[in-house]
Amino acid sequence: MKLYDKNALARFLGMTPKNIDRLVQKGILKPKLGNLFVPGEAVRSYIVYLRGKSPEAADFNEERAKLTRAKRQKAELELSVAEGGLHSSEDIEKVMSTMLINFKSRLSALPAEEADRLAVMTDKVKIFKHLNARVKEILTELSNFEETFQEVIKEDGKEDS
């Protein structure tokens, strides 16, 4: 077993002999015989000290990877919004409100629009078919989300300009 003095150990660990003295005073490094050190033990003791000294430093790479991953995900979302693949919740809320208000208005107007026509009809099958066709026509508006979305967003763009 070879023993090294503090100067040789300092060169081996890439520090000054004064740093070796400080580590000895703190009890991190322990000389084996007088002022001589066993290099393997000294290196292990120093590594344990470094790991215990700052747990944040040990997790630095992991935290950096998390930050990089978050930045990438943010960039992907921004690109998806720019390409029209994603929409903001405010836009969706505005479009859904517009669609439901239009739907309610159209359904509410149906009796007034059809009252005169239905008053003269006597065949129940024809009344049913006519009302069914009108309700389906109104419901079709709800299924055209993309079309309504484009209209509402365009109107918003004009208001902002």
Side-chain angles (χ1 to χ4, degrees):
M1 164 171 62
K2 282 191 170 184
L3 299 175
Y4 293 90
D5 68 353
K6 70 178 177 180
N7 293 326
L9 186 60
R11 280 192 306 274
F12 183 72
L13 292 175
M15 58 178 65
T16 65
K18 283 185 180 182
N19 284 340
I20 298 293
D21 289 337
R22 285 188 198 114
L23 293 172
V24 169
Q25 286 173 354
K26 290 180 179 180
I28 296 159
L29 297 179
K30 295 179 180 114
K32 196 70 166 173
L33 181 65
N35 282 337
L36 299 176
F37 300 89
V38 177
E41 289 177 15
V43 169
R44 274 192 295 281
S45 296
Y46 186 60
I47 289 172
V48 167
Y49 163 72
L50 289 176
R51 284 187 178 157
K53 182 179 176 185
S54 62
E56 304 86 36
D59 294 334
F60 176 75
N61 289 333
E62 184 180 332
E63 291 300 318
R64 186 176 209 161
K66 286 179 184 177
L67 177 63
T68 303
R69 190 176 308 117
K71 285 180 178 179
R72 186 195 80 237
Q73 289 171 341
K74 180 182 178 194
E76 288 173 354
L77 287 173
E78 288 172 351
L79 177 63
S80 192
V81 167
E83 291 176 341
L86 287 179
H87 304 288
S88 70
S89 58
E90 293 85 15
D91 287 346
I92 300 296
E93 187 176 328
K94 198 176 296 176
V95 170
M96 291 305 296
S97 293
T98 301
M99 288 178 70
L100 291 173
I101 289 169
N102 290 346
F103 179 69
K104 180 185 176 209
S105 298
R106 299 236 7 233
L107 271 182
S108 297
L110 184 63
E113 292 172 357
E114 299 301 324
D116 290 339
R117 183 175 204 165
L118 294 174
V120 294
M121 294 175 83
T122 55
D123 186 3
K124 288 182 180 181
V125 173
K126 286 184 180 179
I127 293 172
F128 173 81
K129 285 182 179 180
H130 179 71
L131 284 176
N132 194 32
R134 288 293 312 220
V135 168
K136 284 182 180 179
E137 177 185 315
I138 294 169
L139 286 172
T140 302
E141 186 176 318
L142 276 181
S143 66
N144 293 332
F145 175 80
E146 284 296 325
E147 184 179 313
T148 306
F149 186 85
Q150 296 303 326
E151 290 173 9
V152 170
I153 297 305
K154 284 179 187 174
E155 288 174 9
D156 267 2
K158 289 177 186 175
E159 291 173 10
D160 293 343
S161 300

